[in-house]
């Protein structure tokens, strides 16, 4: 005997688990158990086989690969490379045992440095710096409280102490040149902050310059022009030499500011394109 369709009973839905089968709650019960007056999280919308569970998703329509989101890096490691423990150090070894990350002179530290590294030069004594080429973006900092505590000396017969061919920064250093220039800037952006640049007095003072810039702006290449070249001097003392800055390229001296104190003069200026 066939039962009419109107009298057929729908089977109670079951979910298969490891234990006994339990009936699934109805839609109304699920909403009461997951949200509303209980203060718990509301249930997901299941209209059209999906829901607005992810940002930018429309209700009832799931974006392709919306659940495949790459993990974001932890903010704790964002500035890890700037931690002082990771800096390269230049100091005279007390014993013959070499420590990792410690170098006997600045030239060895520059050779071992990678782009973005910071080199800390120990205070006390005099460090030799003669014709050291820097072709990678790095930062060189003196370890003393004042620039006079960390001295780099360029001996007679050398063209310069440091030659920059990339974007770099030096801070809290004293750089002395017996004959020639303290800093030779060829390309990139060079920042000199709170330093002391000295050219010793001699009969050939007209050949001595604390800063020489030979950088040229490449107007025909927009990508190189966006990167730019220039020198920025911030609160730096400059002593001796024919003049503070000599420019041989297309860059010129601009935005000069000076503050006179009892013992010295502090300069702020830029060398850039007109």
């Amino acid at each position: 005997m066939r039962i009419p369709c109107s009298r057929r009973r729908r089977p109670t839905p079951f979910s298969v688990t490891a234990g006994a089968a339990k009936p699934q709650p109805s839609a109304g019960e699920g909403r009461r158990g997951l949200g509303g007056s209980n203060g718990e999280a509301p249930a997901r919308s299941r209209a059209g086989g999906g829901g607005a569970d992810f940002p930018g998703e429309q209700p009832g329509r799931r974006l392709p690969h919306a659940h495949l989101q790459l993990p974001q890096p932890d903010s704790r490691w964002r500035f890890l490379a700037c931690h002082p423990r990771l800096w390269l150090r230049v100091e005279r070894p007390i014993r013959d045992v070499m420590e990792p990350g410690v170098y006997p002179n600045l030239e060895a530290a520059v050779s071992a440095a990678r782009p973005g590294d910071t080199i800390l030069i120990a205070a006390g004594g005099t460090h030799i710096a003669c014709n050291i080429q820097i072709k990678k973006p790095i930062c060189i900092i003196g370890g003393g409280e004042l620039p006079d505590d960390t001295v780099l000396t360029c001996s007679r017969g050398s063209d310069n102490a440091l030659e920059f061919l990339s974007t770099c920064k030096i801070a809290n250093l004293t750089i002395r040149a017996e004959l020639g220039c303290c800093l030779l800037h060829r390309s990139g952006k060079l920042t000199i902050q709170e330093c002391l640049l000295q050219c010793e007095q001699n009969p050939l003072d007209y050949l001595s310059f604390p800063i020489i810039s030979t950088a040229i702006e490449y107007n025909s290449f927009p990508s190189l022009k966006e990167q730019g070249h220039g020198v920025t001097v911030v609160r730096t003392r400059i002593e001796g030499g024919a003049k503070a800055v000599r420019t041989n390229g297309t860059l010129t001296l601009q935005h000069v500011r000076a503050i006179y104190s009892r013992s010295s003069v502090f300069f702020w200026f830029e060398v850039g394109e007109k």
Side-chain angles (χ1 to χ4, degrees):
M1 179 178 179
R2 298 181 60 184
I3 302 175
C5 295
S6 58
R7 296 183 180 181
R8 288 184 183 179
R9 292 184 177 180
R10 286 189 174 183
T12 303
F14 287 84
S15 60
V16 181
T17 59
K22 298 181 180 180
Q24 295 181 352
S26 62
E29 295 175 354
R31 284 192 293 269
R32 290 193 299 270
L34 295 178
S37 60
N38 295 338
E40 299 178 359
R44 290 183 178 179
S45 173
R46 300 186 181 277
D53 301 332
F54 298 94
E57 185 178 356
Q58 299 178 359
R61 180 182 180 185
R62 186 174 297 279
L63 297 178
H65 307 293
H67 61 285
L68 299 178
Q69 296 182 354
L70 297 178
Q72 298 297 327
D74 197 332
S75 59
R76 292 178 299 174
W77 315 116
R78 187 174 301 171
F79 304 103
L80 182 62
C82 299
H83 198 283
R85 292 185 178 180
L86 299 179
W87 291 357
L88 305 181
R89 293 180 294 164
V90 176
E91 57 185 33
R92 295 178 180 83
I94 301 177
R95 52 186 183 275
D96 295 336
V97 180
M98 296 298 296
E99 300 180 16
V102 179
Y103 300 89
N105 53 67
L106 179 58
E107 187 173 6
V110 170
S111 300
R114 294 177 296 181
D117 280 348
T118 298
I119 299 177
L120 179 67
I121 304 178
T126 301
H127 302 268
I128 303 299
C130 299
N131 298 330
I132 299 179
Q133 283 191 345
I134 302 177
K135 301 180 180 180
K136 61 195 83 171
I138 60 176
C139 181
I140 304 176
I141 301 177
E145 295 182 1
L146 299 174
D148 307 82
D149 298 336
T150 309
V151 181
L152 301 181
T153 300
C154 178
S155 59
R156 186 184 296 268
S158 301
D159 295 333
N160 55 78
L162 302 176
E163 180 180 353
F164 296 93
L165 292 91
S166 181
T167 298
C168 298
K169 177 181 179 179
I170 62 173
N172 199 36
L173 289 172
T174 294
I175 303 177
R176 295 174 181 169
E178 296 183 6
L179 183 63
C181 69
C182 299
L183 304 175
L184 176 59
H185 169 248
R186 293 194 180 276
S187 61
K189 292 183 179 181
L190 174 61
T191 302
I192 307 167
Q193 182 174 352
E194 297 183 2
C195 292
L196 170 58
L197 307 180
Q198 292 180 331
C199 289
E200 296 187 2
Q201 296 182 358
N202 56 71
L204 300 177
D205 276 345
Y206 64 93
L207 298 177
S208 300
F209 299 91
I211 302 174
I212 295 180
S213 176
T214 61
I216 300 176
E217 284 288 347
Y218 298 92
N219 297 325
S220 58
F221 299 96
S223 59
L224 293 177
K225 186 176 181 181
E226 290 179 0
Q227 180 182 0
H229 305 280
V231 179
T232 301
V233 176
V234 179
R235 202 178 187 276
T236 295
R237 291 178 288 169
I238 299 178
E239 302 176 358
K243 55 183 179 180
V245 182
R246 175 184 172 185
T247 58
N248 294 342
T250 59
L251 305 183
T252 59
L253 180 64
Q254 50 189 314
H255 306 302
V256 180
R257 185 163 62 97
I259 295 180
Y260 292 83
S261 64
R262 293 182 178 180
S263 58
S264 57
V265 183
F266 296 92
F267 288 94
W268 286 258
F269 59 82
E270 294 181 2
V271 178
E273 188 181 13
K274 292 182 179 180

